[in-house]
Amino acid sequence: MYSYNTLFTLLSLFVILYLSGQRGLQVEGGKTKNGPKKLFVFGDSYCDTGNIKKGIANSWGKPYGVSFPGKPVGRFSDGRVFTDFIAKYLKLKSPIPFSLWKLAPNRLKYGINFAFGGTGAFDTLYGPNLTTQIGSLEKLIKDKVYTASDLNHSLALVSVAGNDYNHYLTTNGSLTGLIPFVVSLVNQTTNDLIRLKGLGVNKVVVDGLQPFGCLPIQTAPFSFQKCNETANQISSLHNNLLIDSVNKLNNQNKDHPSFIILNFFDSFTSVLKNPSKYNIQNPLKPCCVGVSSEYSCGNVGKNNVNKYTLCDDPKKAFFWDIVHPSQAGWHAVFEELKKTEALRQIRHH
Ligand SMILES: *[C@@H]1O[C@H](CO)[C@@H](O)[C@H](O)[C@H]1NC(C)=O
Ligand SMILES: *[C@@H]1O[C@H](CO)[C@@H](O)[C@H](O)[C@H]1NC(C)=O
Ligand SMILES: *[C@@H]1O[C@H](CO)[C@@H](O)[C@H](O)[C@H]1NC(C)=O
Ligand SMILES: *[C@@H]1O[C@H](CO)[C@@H](O)[C@H](O)[C@H]1NC(C)=O
Ligand SMILES: *[C@@H]1O[C@H](CO)[C@@H](O)[C@H](O)[C@H]1NC(C)=O
């Protein structure tokens, strides 16, 4: 059996050996005033704005959506999610969920959101994986819904925020298998980024992994008071491999580097360390906590009794539920990201 200390040592050693001297993402973009005209979004619940089906997910029930738009619409938050903040930053409307595009063809000009809660780069319990989501865009291109020029003026955002790890840890969980799993996940994610670029998308943006060990699902055993540093090591390994991989891709085309990583690890960490800057209190404790052992928000028991508790003011919470930031949380993360060169890059063609 492996103790957490052993895992920690293995991970640290691996990071040190693997990386020696390859940190930092250098991207020099050709700068024009013409930012992306369309946003195509892929990945998981950090970006899903309503693809996940009613009946499967709590995100279609109360109290989700209570801050925005005032009712549940499938977003895994009390309000806006990451996609909405990126779209606003690009001065675009939040792209329509793929499941609804036929109902609102006039919205296609802003792009499409294919992201689906619960999914990963590999298969998880349900939902279309990244390969399948990208296949849906490929089909729309074949059907001439989008032209080469549309794609050339578009940005793809990919979120791989940890469902693969949850799936791995719950179905396999072997610590010896974990490092190879991180390697294969980053490899698969990189293949997906390359495929998107191959479809003609101008810029491909991927989020780095947030500090996984600070998610309430991990901090619950510590009464939401401290992060699981072992789990955070997984994020660091993942992110360092991803940086390495993306640097290699950009070095192959120095005149027009197309791949950008958003540093979720540092932006989440900055907010969690200095929450008062954003008027956030008790940052590791989610606003909505289930009373059952799974802590999941939104369940309703017999006689319509809520099986969760809600905080007084979601605007003061960083996390909404056990894995997702609140709207205020995403706002704060986005403010931190705005300080990074990577975010400025996404506005340039
Ligand atoms: C993604 O899902 C498709 C369809 O179920 C499957 O054929 C494919 O193997 C999956 N890809 C990965 C990388 O898991
Ligand atoms: C994409 O757009 C840029 C800037 O408008 C242009 O220089 C380039 O040739 C276009 N590429 C393709 C493949 O259309
Ligand atoms: C589980 O981990 C072991 C290594 O300990 C590996 O051989 C096996 O393929 C893994 N299984 C899955 C489903 O990932
Ligand atoms: C990386 O992906 C390629 C393409 O799918 C695959 O052939 C290769 O085996 C993968 N490598 C690892 C280490 O997973
Ligand atoms: C911390 O995270 C590691 C890796 O996921 C896990 O094995 C361990 O059980 C966690 N510790 C606690 C106290 O939950």
Side-chain angles (χ1 to χ4, degrees):
M1 293 303 290
Y2 286 78
S3 70
Y4 304 135
N5 279 344
T6 314
L7 174 65
F8 183 86
T9 312
L10 279 173
L11 289 172
S12 316
L13 198 66
F14 190 83
V15 171
I16 293 161
L17 288 176
Y18 199 95
L19 288 166
S20 34
Q22 310 213 43
R23 302 226 31 187
L25 173 61
Q26 303 294 320
V27 188
E28 314 108 49
K31 292 184 184 174
T32 73
K33 280 182 189 134
N34 306 321
K37 304 278 189 293
K38 292 180 175 49
L39 176 60
F40 295 110
V41 184
F42 305 87
D44 50 39
S45 55
Y46 276 14
C47 285
D48 187 352
T49 51
N51 279 314
I52 200 164
K53 292 177 187 65
K54 285 181 194 175
I56 294 182
N58 283 4
S59 64
W60 278 104
K62 283 180 181 171
Y64 286 82
V66 62
S67 304
F68 170 85
K71 60 175 186 188
V73 289
R75 281 177 175 79
F76 288 83
S77 178
D78 60 312
R80 294 172 180 85
V81 296
F82 191 62
T83 302
D84 304 307
F85 285 92
I86 283 266
K88 182 162 184 238
Y89 181 74
L90 297 173
K91 302 189 168 69
L92 300 174
K93 285 207 168 137
S94 197
I96 187 146
F98 179 55
S99 62
L100 300 175
W101 79 269
K102 285 185 178 152
L103 301 177
N106 58 323
R107 290 278 297 276
L108 287 176
K109 58 177 177 286
Y110 305 110
I112 294 191
N113 186 352
F114 299 92
F116 197 106
T119 66
F122 295 123
D123 285 333
T124 51
L125 282 183
Y126 56 78
N129 63 29
L130 216 43
T131 310
T132 304
Q133 292 179 25
I134 297 171
S136 299
L137 175 61
E138 209 164 38
K139 171 124 195 337
L140 292 179
I141 296 167
K142 281 203 186 98
D143 293 348
K144 302 195 163 46
V145 174
Y146 289 112
T147 65
S149 169
D150 289 337
L151 291 157
N152 190 22
H153 293 94
S154 75
L155 180 108
L157 170 68
V158 177
S159 175
V160 181
N163 289 321
D164 293 288
Y165 291 119
N166 279 331
H167 187 64
Y168 176 84
L169 291 169
T170 49
T171 56
N172 186 331
S174 135
L175 292 182
T176 29
L178 186 57
I179 290 176
F181 185 74
V182 181
V183 173
S184 69
L185 177 59
V186 171
N187 182 53
Q188 179 60 38
T189 306
T190 307
N191 294 337
D192 292 324
L193 303 180
I194 295 169
R195 187 171 160 216
L196 281 168
K197 180 65 193 166
L199 294 180
V201 170
N202 182 49
K203 285 244 157 69
V204 183
V205 180
V206 59
D207 52 21
L209 202 59
Q210 73 283 13
F212 199 59
C214 297
L215 299 183
I217 196 170
Q218 298 277 344
T219 64
F222 311 122
S223 311
F224 307 117
Q225 292 306 311
K226 68 179 178 90
C227 302
N228 179 333
E229 294 304 334
T230 311
N232 279 351
Q233 289 293 316
I234 300 172
S235 299
S236 298
L237 174 60
H238 177 107
N239 289 333
N240 287 326
L241 292 175
L242 190 63
I243 290 169
D244 191 35
S245 209
V246 160
N247 277 347
K248 280 190 188 131
L249 292 180
N250 283 333
N251 283 334
Q252 288 163 12
N253 188 357
K254 287 193 174 144
D255 295 337
H256 191 79
S258 308
F259 300 93
I260 298 169
I261 299 176
L262 298 179
N263 191 335
F264 270 24
F265 193 95
D266 285 354
S267 48
F268 273 60
T269 305
S270 296
V271 180
L272 294 176
K273 283 203 171 136
N274 193 1
S276 56
K277 185 174 168 192
Y278 296 102
N279 202 18
I280 286 168
Q281 294 166 355
N282 204 351
L284 296 179
K285 188 165 191 287
C287 177
C288 183
V289 192
V291 294
S292 74
S293 58
E294 289 129 36
Y295 305 105
S296 57
C297 169
N299 293 337
V300 179
K302 276 188 204 150
N303 305 324
N304 269 339
V305 177
N306 293 341
K307 295 175 86 177
Y308 56 87
T309 60
L310 263 189
C311 64
D312 291 336
D313 186 1
K315 287 188 186 64
K316 291 185 177 155
F318 180 78
F319 287 107
W320 166 246
D321 64 16
I322 49 166
V323 279
H324 304 104
S326 65
Q327 174 173 289
W330 279 124
H331 168 80
V333 165
F334 209 83
E335 288 303 305
E336 291 296 316
L337 282 173
K338 277 184 186 164
K339 298 176 187 167
T340 65
E341 182 57 24
L343 202 68
R344 283 189 281 277
Q345 296 287 346
I346 75 169
R347 268 191 181 159
H348 299 304
H349 189 80

